[in-house]
Amino acid sequence: MGSTKLILVLFCLLLIISSSSAAHKKKMQARKPCKRLVFYFHDIIYNGKNAKNATSAIVSAPAWGNRTLLAGKSHFGDVVVFDDPITLDNNLHSTLIGRAQGFYLYDKKETFTAWLGFSFVFNSTAHKGSINFAGADPLMNKTRDISVIGGTGDFFMARGIATMMTDAFEGEVYFRLCVDIKLYECW
């Protein structure tokens, strides 16, 4: 009777082990987004001469920098706050659907990269509320993914990913980003 119990216990253990290893072999199924949106945001950085049109400004700079010109080739240490217009197309003068509000900081000495924390705050009839973003932005990559970490209104508790592409830039004064947002949690 003791060997029968031992065989039964071993069989059960073998069954558990084989079922758990089979679960690890299953591929994750790609999820489709519950909502997809594409917007453009336009950043005009204050350079000491464009106060009327500027939508962003350097608020902190390293000791060797200043607050009207970005520091060095990687801009390391600069902190910029922004209140940029959001449009549905790449034309700065298109109808505004909201504002991109937040900050970015240049966080590496060796290469051109930043860390972002911002919200898209909507004020259009099509969208109400906000979408919140945070994460690293390796600026030299053609496309960069940043986390969607929440939202309000139409985007209450949204979660997902935003793929950003630099659509245009003019020196160190203007850049435009195309932001392709894919939400995977929609309420």
Side-chain angles (χ1 to χ4, degrees), residues 32-48:
K32 291 189 179 195
C34 51
K35 189 174 280 196
R36 188 164 183 188
L37 307 156
V38 177
F39 302 112
Y40 292 82
F41 81 89
H42 310 263
D43 189 82
I44 305 168
I45 195 160
Y46 175 69
N47 66 359

Side-chain angles (χ1 to χ4, degrees), residues 112-128:
F112 194 49
T113 185
W115 194 91
L116 304 168
F118 65 99
S119 298
F120 278 3
V121 181
F122 297 98
N123 60 1
S124 69
T125 55
H127 305 291
K128 298 284 185 214

Side-chain angles (χ1 to χ4, degrees), residues 62-129:
W64 64 87
N66 66 57
R67 285 190 245 156
T68 53
L69 298 173
L70 291 166
K73 68 176 185 171
S74 69
H75 310 315
F76 176 72
D78 283 334
V79 178
V80 178
V81 296
F82 60 91
D83 182 18
D84 295 338
I86 304 170
T87 60
L88 289 172
D89 61 26
N90 62 7
N91 185 342
L92 173 61
H93 304 291
S94 293
T95 303
L96 299 183
I97 60 159
R99 308 290 296 184
Q101 298 171 330
F103 68 94
Y104 52 93
L105 54 97
Y106 294 98
D107 60 349
K108 283 190 129 183
K109 279 183 150 180
E110 313 80 44
T111 187
F112 194 49
T113 185
W115 194 91
L116 304 168
F118 65 99
S119 298
F120 278 3
V121 181
F122 297 98
N123 60 1
S124 69
T125 55
H127 305 291
K128 298 284 185 214

